[in-house]
């Protein structure tokens, strides 16, 4: 596989089928007016938090205001993207077509691998986890906006169920649709790896890395079961791809979308909660490595932090309202930093445990 992939990349690199090499990373210089244009969206998100605090635990009005705030945040970026799109050069158009061809090829390959052999005929997950994800997800999704800020099993917010249900929506209902939704997010993750990889290490290496991820056994498994685990690699790759677009001359839309993806992603599967901190640490590391101007990095980091804080504020309000054990159930149980967490893992996965026996 590695030899074949390397030969394919070597062949493609001698042609003009792959995008051009990446440009140097540099913090953006967006006009102050673009940041100011985000104030209506930020105000709407603040009002949503106020409405949620003053209302019962399930508030459809607060959730709708929250969604409206996200849409308003994207509007300045959409205007900036449209302005840049009209000014694109023939060289940019050619490079875009090459990128699109490579991305489509990777997506088709990754998705075909995940559905090969009949994704709906795979044995069900142990302990009925897939069934719980599907049934509870449909219940929460049917409740609509008023259920958006709630919490599900073992400390996972309802947002993660909304993500899995939206991904499964094009495929209908049932376990097969739920698994196809995971396959969709997993295949998009392969494309996103290529997108951010080509900006870091160039097209050929990124294409090879994406090919290897497309067939990686562990990732194939977790991106074809009806579970929420694929949320973590998907949102991580999405945030990194958007952030690197910002740092390589991308539009303001990439920045606002990165902030929104970062906030929503942090409210999905529990391990993704540390993603905002990792992004800020990454920016700090790049600032040191590339000797960037600190003021420009500070503006970038402050904007992302503000967007993430506004998006996660209703989730934080929910945490303060409910029993802490519901919101933090999985974290102390599985933390290797706590003796009881280490003991629980040892008891669960030892040779004579129930899981090993099954």
């Amino acid at each position: 596989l590695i030899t074949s992939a390397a030969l394919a990349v070597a062949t493609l690199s001698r042609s003009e089928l792959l995008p051009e090499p990446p440009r140097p990373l540099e913090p953006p210089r967006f006009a102050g007016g673009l940041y100011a244009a985000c104030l209506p969206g930020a105000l709407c998100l603040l009002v949503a938090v106020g409405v949620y605090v003053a209302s019962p635990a399930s508030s459809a009005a607060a959730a709708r205001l929250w969604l409206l705030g996200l849409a308003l945040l994207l509007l300045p970026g959409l205007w900036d993207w449209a302005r840049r799109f009209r000014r694109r050069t023939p060289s940019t158009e050619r490079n875009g077509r090459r990128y699109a061809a490579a991305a489509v090829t990777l997506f088709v390959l990754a998705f075909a691998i995940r559905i090969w052999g009949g994704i709906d005929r795979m044995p069900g997950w142990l302990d009925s986890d897939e069934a719980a994800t599907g049934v509870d997800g449909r219940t929460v999704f049917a409740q609509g906006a008023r259920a958006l800020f709630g919490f599900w099993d073992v400390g996972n917010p309802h947002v993660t169920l909304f993500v899995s249900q939206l991904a499964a929506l094009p495929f209908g209902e049932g376990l097969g649709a739920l698994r196809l939704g995971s396959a969709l997010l997993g295949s998009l993750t392969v494309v996103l790896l290529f997108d951010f990889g080509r900006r870091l290490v160039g097209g050929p290496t990124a294409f090879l890395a994406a090919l290897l991820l497309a067939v990686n056994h562990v990732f194939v498994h977790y991106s074809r079961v009806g579970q929420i685990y694929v949320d973590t690699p998907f949102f991580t790759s999405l945030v990194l791809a958007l952030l690197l677009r910002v740092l390589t001359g991308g539009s303001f839309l990439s920045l606002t979308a990165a902030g929104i993806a970062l906030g929503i992603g942090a409210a999905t599967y529990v391990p993704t909660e540390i993603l905002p901190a990792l992004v800020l640490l990454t920016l700090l590391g790049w600032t040191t490595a590339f000797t960037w101007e600190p003021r420009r990095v500070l503006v970038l980091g402050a904007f992302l932090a503000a967007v993430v804080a506004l998006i996660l504020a209703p989730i934080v309000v929910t945490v303060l309202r409910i029993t802490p054990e519901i919101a933090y159930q999985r974290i102390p149980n599985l933390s290797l930093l706590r003796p009881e967490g280490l003991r629980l893992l040892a008891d669960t996965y030892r040779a004579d445990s129930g899981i090993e026996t099954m």
Side-chain angles (χ1 to χ4, degrees):
L1 171 66
I2 295 175
T3 303
S4 301
L7 288 174
V9 170
T11 302
L12 290 170
S13 64
R14 288 194 292 268
S15 68
E16 295 185 353
L17 297 178
L18 288 176
E20 296 174 359
R23 56 184 292 179
L25 302 184
E26 184 180 7
R29 269 188 207 273
F30 294 122
L34 289 172
Y35 290 106
C38 293
L39 290 177
L43 181 61
C44 193
L45 289 172
L46 278 174
V47 173
V49 176
V51 171
Y52 187 54
V53 170
S55 65
S58 56
S59 172
R64 293 191 184 101
L65 283 170
W66 185 80
L67 293 171
L68 176 61
L70 298 184
L72 291 175
L73 280 179
L74 289 172
L75 287 181
L78 286 170
W79 176 85
D80 184 51
W81 176 84
R83 178 178 62 86
R84 292 171 181 242
F85 184 78
R86 289 192 296 267
R87 297 177 180 178
R88 67 192 187 280
T89 63
S91 175
T92 303
E93 291 183 2
R94 287 194 301 271
N95 197 44
R97 287 194 293 268
R98 296 169 192 161
Y99 167 73
V104 169
T105 301
L106 288 169
F107 177 83
V108 171
L109 173 66
F111 195 74
I113 289 173
R114 279 150 181 78
I115 66 174
W116 177 72
I119 195 171
D120 56 334
R121 296 198 299 270
M122 290 173 14
W125 193 267
L126 290 176
D127 296 331
S128 303
D129 281 4
E130 282 184 303
T133 302
V135 172
D136 294 345
R138 289 179 61 180
T139 301
V140 169
F141 199 66
Q143 293 174 3
R146 65 187 180 89
L148 191 57
F149 302 138
F151 268 75
W152 182 46
D153 189 30
V154 292
N156 292 296
H158 280 173
V159 174
T160 193
L161 293 177
F162 275 90
V163 171
S164 64
Q165 289 296 308
L166 287 172
L169 199 58
F171 308 106
E173 298 179 349
L175 180 59
L178 195 66
R179 290 174 171 176
L180 285 170
S182 292
L184 173 64
L185 295 181
S187 302
L188 289 174
T189 302
V190 172
V191 176
L192 290 169
L193 171 65
F194 171 62
D195 185 70
F196 72 73
R198 71 192 179 99
R199 297 172 186 273
L200 287 174
V201 294
T205 306
F207 193 80
L208 173 59
L211 283 176
L212 294 177
L213 181 65
V215 297
N216 178 270
H217 175 77
V218 174
F219 187 63
V220 168
H221 171 70
Y222 282 111
S223 58
R224 67 195 297 245
V225 296
Q227 285 282 38
I228 59 176
Y229 306 133
V230 73
D231 289 359
T232 297
F234 171 74
F235 278 102
T236 302
S237 300
L238 177 60
V239 169
L240 189 53
L242 291 169
L243 186 60
L244 281 165
R245 282 178 176 266
V246 174
L247 298 174
T248 53
S251 68
F252 192 71
L253 178 61
S254 298
L255 179 59
T256 53
I260 292 173
L262 191 57
I264 294 177
T268 55
Y269 185 42
V270 171
T272 324
E273 292 177 0
I274 66 172
L275 184 56
L278 293 179
V279 168
L280 291 177
L281 287 174
T282 300
L283 286 176
L284 179 62
W286 283 346
T287 302
T288 305
F290 300 124
T291 61
W292 288 342
E293 184 181 341
R295 187 180 64 83
R296 292 166 64 182
V297 180
L298 184 62
V299 171
L300 178 65
F303 181 82
L304 289 174
V307 171
V308 170
L310 289 171
I311 291 175
L312 291 179
I315 307 295
V316 175
V317 172
T318 304
V319 171
L320 297 176
R321 283 177 171 175
I322 62 179
T323 305
E325 285 75 12
I326 297 177
Y328 299 110
Q329 180 179 352
R330 177 58 59 92
I331 296 174
N333 285 351
L334 298 182
S335 174
L336 295 178
L337 302 178
R338 296 168 61 96
E340 56 269 31
L342 185 59
R343 188 162 48 250
L344 175 64
L345 287 172
D347 291 342
T348 301
Y349 293 104
R350 68 175 188 270
D352 59 342
S353 67
I355 288 181
E356 292 297 329
T357 301
M358 286 188 287

